[in-house]
Amino acid sequence: MVATTDGVPANDPTPGVQHHILSVLVENRPGVLTRIAGLFARRGYNIHSLAVAPTEDERFSRITMVVDVLSSPLPQMILQLDKLVNVIEITELAPSEAVERELLMVTVSATPDIRGQVIELVGVFDARILNVGHDALTISLEGHPSKLDDFEQLMRSYGILAVQRTGRVALPKLTHAESEDRRPLRSA
Amino acid sequence: MQTNGGEALIRSLELEGVEVIFGLPGGAILPVYDPIIDSPIRHILVRHEQGAGHMAEGYAHATGRPGVAMVTSGPAATNIVTPLCDAYMDSVPMVVITGQVPTAALGTDAFQECDTTGITQPVTKHNFLVTEAADIPRTIREAFHIATTGRPGPVLVDIPKDIVDPRNPRSALEWYWPESVDLPGYQPLGAGDPEAIRRAAELILEARQPVIYAGGGILKARAAEVLRELAELTDIPVVTTLMARGAFPDSHPLALGMPGMHGNYTAVTSMQESDLLIALGSRFDDRVTGKVPSFAPNAKIIHVDIDRAELGKVRRPDVGIAGDCRLVIEEMVRAIGELGGADAQPDRSAWRSTISGWQERYPLSYLPSEPGELLKPQFVLEQLRDLTPSDTIVASGVGQHQMWTSQYWQFDHPYTWINSGGLGTMGFSVPAAIGAKVGRPDRMVWAVDGDGCFQMTAQELVTAAAERIPVKVAVLNNAYLGMVRQWQEMFYEERYSEVYLSPDLPDYKMWAEAMGCVGIRVESPEEVAPAIEKANAINDKPVVIEFRTDSREKVFPMVPAGASNDEIMVEPHQEEA
């Protein structure tokens, strides 16, 4: 597999399954995530990944979720989500209209004889070594999810001892004219 | 003004216009029960928390105002989950207040603690766990706003004991009443898109075989009058779903009655054969559509609903209009007028005569009982219908008796039919009828119940007797879980599994009397009318009439579950020879 660089449209993490990114602005209150997760569970919608954090305004949090639209039509998902009282705005982000990032941490087997190869790949991918053990390295890599896929794939051949990804976060791409490709599906 | 959380809660309810609370006190909610003594709000002490919830629903169905129930934490909260789910499925405005263990004890598995907001989250429109006394007035205001606007539904407010207990400093607050609500994520819809309404009007004026498919949303939107205006202007026949019975008068020449699994032949078949279905506040429920791919295959769809998620959930509309049914229909009537009104319509006399042909060929029908046989339930319902005022409110449980009531009653007024449609909650009728009678003391209120249902919630007749709420109950006692028996007869080779209840156990007459009601038993046709007249004359206590009915009787017509509506089965004696 050839390593991709940032900005290339995402490969679907699971081939054959169609994913969409939803950026969901919610009230920053206890239990909001449960409401969303519960809604998806009881209506049979699949969440591929989920990232949540407060926004610039502490009253709100932004959830970036990658949803599987083969399980249910996207409009129905969005409309049901929109009925939750704590959900303020839902924006669908088409991959070509969004900047996406994800963080990966991986502990990979790296005995002294192959450690050099691993470190070389760390350099190629602009990754960082966080921790060095006797025969393993813990590495972090931030970037487009497809770049993380590629790196993870390469690390697999050395033996991954543990891997953790954050799930993607995304914001709409800015155009030079006006940020028109922001498509709020529901205006606050 | 300095106050405490308990006082603030009751005061907030008063300011919301609450006139009655259905409830039962307990440990965690105790401090709130003290200020109730000094409040003008009437409290009705139920015998089981499920009863409180269904009473609040019955009250809401009959009055259009939100029903209010208040119970304690833990088991009381879990007991009210069924009414919450029932209200959620049928879009009934209701506010339920539950006590909770003190905030410091939350999450410690304290006595009578349960995660009430967690449990009720999927069955409420919204719920709140209030943790500060100062949040109480605002939360109550928001709860009523959410419950009653948009698509109505139940809202639960969970209140820990420490913030309502005047002996606890955490209960102190400076009194305020919010002028408005600020819910950035909640904007109920109003008028529909004028462009879409105009396209709908055009479709209506082009259609040759249109049918109006009126759902419960008509009643929620107080749109019965404007529905009638639309139907009369366009001369389009109207089916009223189980949730919409009464939204259009059954005596009207354009009324086709109830569609669906046990709908009448004409209502079901006219929808199947239509070229345009005008769905107003209905949700294409599986009990109406039968097998979806073969439902009304040649019909274009206009779908009006205040919940946008309903548009296209089951069937993709040709014109979907998100908005309040009353406002949208008003605009639709105006748009039709602008496009030339009734004169711009094609000749629909062939469609009308096809429909009247079905009505003549396949009316609702049953064979009268032979001398010595048990009563036919349909006969009992015809008698009850004919011997009660036309604005009588009738509440039913769930099963055969529910379908027969919906079929054989003549609903000529909105808000006279109260039943559990979406959830299908057995035991609904007695408490719902009590709640309805509390809300509409001027009306005669009958519960029509089955023997199976009655045994689930009959204890609330003790509440009715104690509170002098003179509801009347007709128990159709066929000694079986009748609808299950019908399915076992038809689809399980008459292998009757666990459906026999016995006609004599319990003794319904004695049970009624033990609960402070008048008890009457009726076994023969000539006793039916006198018993009903006797019950109608009693106004100081509840009455229960047990009618011994024929267990062999089945509900027809019937579309078997999962079958196409084209496979409708009529009463056997109506089948072609």
Side-chain angles (χ1 to χ4, degrees):
Chain A
M1 182 184 278
V2 182
T4 55
T5 51
D6 287 349
V8 174
N11 292 331
D12 280 330
T14 315
V17 177
Q18 230 197 316
H19 292 92
H20 280 247
I21 309 165
L22 296 179
S23 176
V24 184
L25 191 69
V26 301
E27 286 183 89
N28 186 5
R29 284 174 189 259
V32 173
L33 192 57
T34 311
R35 292 178 196 276
I36 292 174
L39 170 74
F40 273 66
R42 72 177 179 271
R43 294 206 179 261
Y45 309 155
N46 289 332
I47 301 178
H48 184 78
S49 76
L50 187 73
V52 195
T55 62
E56 64 282 359
D57 183 338
E58 64 178 15
R59 291 173 300 159
F60 306 117
S61 290
R62 190 180 306 282
I63 299 177
T64 306
M65 54 204 303
V66 180
V67 297
D68 166 8
V69 296
L70 289 185
S71 66
S72 184
L74 186 66
Q76 181 61 204
M77 257 186 226
I78 290 170
L79 290 170
Q80 293 291 356
L81 201 53
D82 188 34
K83 281 163 67 171
L84 297 178
V85 170
N86 301 127
V87 169
I88 293 163
E89 185 184 280
I90 307 164
T91 313
E92 188 199 346
L93 299 174
S96 59
E97 295 168 1
V99 279
E100 301 170 51
R101 280 295 179 274
E102 191 175 359
L103 177 70
L104 167 145
M105 287 170 66
V106 60
T107 299
V108 63
S109 169
T111 45
D113 52 316
I114 57 160
R115 190 177 290 161
Q117 294 177 34
V118 176
I119 291 171
E120 192 182 335
L121 287 169
V122 166
V124 170
F125 275 81
D126 259 341
R128 290 175 62 197
I129 296 169
L130 300 180
N131 208 346
V132 181
H134 189 65
D135 48 10
L137 293 173
T138 297
I139 301 162
S140 78
L141 174 63
E142 170 273 332
H144 193 277
S146 59
K147 178 178 169 181
L148 270 53
D149 291 343
D150 294 342
F151 186 72
E152 191 182 334
Q153 187 68 35
L154 286 164
M155 289 301 108
R156 228 170 261 291
S157 54
Y158 298 100
I160 290 177
L161 303 175
V163 66
Q164 175 70 61
R165 295 174 66 154
T166 58
R168 71 183 78 188
V169 292
L171 284 174
K173 222 184 250 182
L174 302 173
T175 62
H176 294 295
E178 199 60 55
S179 47
E180 288 171 322
D181 47 355
R182 256 175 107 91
R183 291 188 299 164
L185 293 162
R186 171 201 215 307
S187 46
Chain B
M1 186 190 72
Q2 200 64 24
T3 184
N4 67 70
E7 300 266 3
L9 174 59
I10 296 301
R11 183 123 188 246
S12 301
L13 295 174
E14 289 169 5
L15 286 169
E16 283 295 344
V18 174
E19 55 170 16
V20 59
I21 296 173
F22 303 94
L24 193 133
I29 198 74
L30 250 170
V32 182
Y33 267 80
D34 190 66
I36 283 182
I37 295 174
D38 304 318
S39 170
I41 297 176
R42 180 181 184 190
H43 182 276
I44 291 181
L45 175 61
V46 300
R47 265 49 180 181
H48 186 287
E49 292 90 350
Q50 183 189 359
H54 292 319
M55 286 179 205
E57 288 188 86
Y59 175 89
H61 271 288
T63 64
R65 295 195 294 274
V68 179
M70 182 153 74
V71 300
T72 193
S73 64
T78 56
N79 277 344
I80 211 160
V81 170
T82 299
L84 284 168
C85 191
D86 191 276
Y88 185 61
M89 293 288 273
D90 286 346
S91 309
V92 181
M94 170 158 85
V95 173
V96 170
I97 291 155
T98 46
Q100 183 55 278
V101 300
T103 45
L106 280 169
T108 66
D109 306 315
F111 177 65
Q112 291 194 330
E113 180 183 5
C114 92
D115 176 9
T116 303
T117 47
I119 285 175
T120 58
Q121 179 228 305
V123 296
T124 51
K125 185 172 173 188
H126 194 58
N127 62 21
F128 297 90
L129 171 60
V130 188
T131 53
E132 304 292 337
D135 291 339
I136 289 174
R138 184 178 48 77
T139 307
I140 294 299
R141 186 93 160 83
E142 291 176 355
F144 278 82
H145 178 68
I146 293 169
T148 55
T149 55
R151 179 177 184 169
V155 176
L156 179 136
V157 184
D158 199 24
I159 301 192
K161 187 176 189 178
D162 53 329
I163 67 165
V164 287
D165 183 356
R167 288 167 302 184
N168 190 311
R170 292 210 67 234
S171 77
L173 76 147
E174 183 66 26
W175 168 256
Y176 68 100
W177 183 242
E179 287 297 306
S180 58
V181 289
D182 176 26
L183 294 163
Y186 179 73
Q187 274 107 19
L189 298 174
D193 170 24
E195 177 54 32
I197 291 172
R198 192 171 176 87
R199 273 185 286 131
E202 286 165 4
L203 282 184
I204 290 170
L205 291 177
E206 284 162 18
R208 293 187 169 273
Q209 304 188 166
V211 172
I212 293 174
Y213 162 26
I218 293 285
L219 293 170
K220 301 300 181 328
R222 319 303 282 186
E225 268 177 51
V226 68
L227 166 66
R228 185 170 175 160
E229 207 181 313
L230 174 70
E232 288 177 350
L233 168 68
T234 54
D235 205 27
I236 296 176
V238 180
V239 301
T240 42
T241 68
L242 182 66
M243 292 311 298
R245 306 288 290 127
F248 191 76
D250 280 334
S251 57
H252 196 285
L254 289 169
L256 301 186
M258 182 175 74
M261 179 175 272
H262 293 295
N264 72 74
Y265 184 90
T266 305
V268 172
T269 308
S270 62
M271 286 175 92
Q272 280 304 92
E273 301 294 321
S274 70
D275 67 352
L276 177 68
L277 275 181
I278 305 155
L280 306 173
S282 47
R283 61 183 177 89
F284 293 80
D285 179 76
D286 57 85
R287 284 299 190 264
V288 168
T289 61
K291 193 173 156 191
V292 173
S294 55
F295 172 64
N298 303 316
K300 288 190 172 160
I301 307 287
I302 296 168
H303 193 176
V304 182
D305 205 287
I306 199 157
D307 179 355
R308 286 191 294 184
E310 289 301 337
L311 307 179
K313 186 183 83 176
V314 176
R315 171 87 173 248
R316 182 184 295 274
D318 296 86
V319 179
I321 304 169
D324 176 84
C325 256
R326 188 169 56 78
L327 300 178
V328 171
I329 298 170
E330 279 170 7
E331 286 305 312
M332 214 179 252
V333 167
R334 187 167 309 152
I336 289 167
E338 283 167 14
L339 291 170
D343 297 339
Q345 302 192 105
D347 176 24
R348 297 192 187 122
S349 54
W351 179 230
R352 267 197 301 278
S353 73
T354 305
I355 287 174
S356 50
W358 290 326
Q359 286 173 321
E360 274 164 41
R361 176 74 184 83
Y362 296 111
L364 284 172
S365 174
Y366 68 94
L367 292 175
S369 57
E370 300 289 333
E373 283 184 340
L374 286 167
L375 295 166
K376 290 294 175 101
Q378 301 95 329
F379 170 75
V380 174
L381 285 162
E382 286 174 330
Q383 295 281 298
L384 192 56
R385 173 195 68 199
D386 295 342
L387 293 168
T388 48
S390 79
D391 65 354
T392 297
I393 293 172
V394 56
S396 93
V398 169
Q400 287 183 314
H401 68 277
Q402 174 192 27
M403 292 297 115
W404 283 317
T405 312
S406 181
Q407 289 177 338
Y408 283 89
W409 207 266
Q410 179 166 309
F411 294 100
D412 277 339
H413 304 277
Y415 315 108
T416 54
W417 168 236
I418 296 174
N419 87 131
S420 166
L423 192 63
T425 307
M426 285 179 66
F428 178 79
S429 75
V430 167
I434 293 169
K437 182 69 181 173
V438 169
R440 295 304 306 261
D442 54 319
R443 296 283 190 83
M444 184 178 283
V445 178
W446 273 90
V448 176
D449 221 355
D451 48 328
C453 278
F454 187 76
Q455 291 188 56
M456 289 193 177
T457 53
Q459 84 284 342
E460 295 308 337
L461 286 170
V462 178
T463 305
E467 299 273 350
R468 299 197 179 279
I469 304 164
V471 293
K472 306 172 202 308
V473 184
V475 180
L476 302 183
N477 175 14
N478 68 354
Y480 277 92
L481 296 169
M483 188 61 94
V484 184
R485 184 192 186 280
Q486 173 168 343
W487 284 46
Q488 289 178 348
E489 180 181 333
M490 294 172 71
F491 310 118
Y492 290 84
E493 297 163 338
E494 298 178 50
R495 286 163 55 85
Y496 298 115
S497 175
E498 302 298 326
V499 285
Y500 181 65
L501 296 176
S502 160
D504 306 306
L505 185 66
D507 182 318
Y508 293 93
K509 183 174 182 294
M510 282 175 65
W511 191 12
E513 286 164 358
M515 291 189 289
C517 308
V518 174
I520 303 170
R521 177 171 298 133
V522 170
E523 291 174 286
S524 67
E526 56 283 1
E527 295 170 331
V528 171
I532 292 169
E533 276 160 355
K534 182 178 171 193
N536 285 346
I538 296 171
N539 268 316
D540 57 347
K541 52 171 71 177
V543 186
V544 177
I545 310 180
E546 176 208 3
F547 295 97
R548 292 288 177 103
T549 61
D550 191 336
S551 62
R552 297 166 303 176
E553 201 58 27
K554 293 190 286 293
V555 183
F556 285 109
M558 180 173 190
V559 178
S564 159
N565 281 350
D566 295 328
E567 295 167 56
I568 185 167
M569 300 157 76
V570 292
E571 174 75 19
H573 75 264
Q574 290 179 309
E575 287 169 12
E576 317 271 354

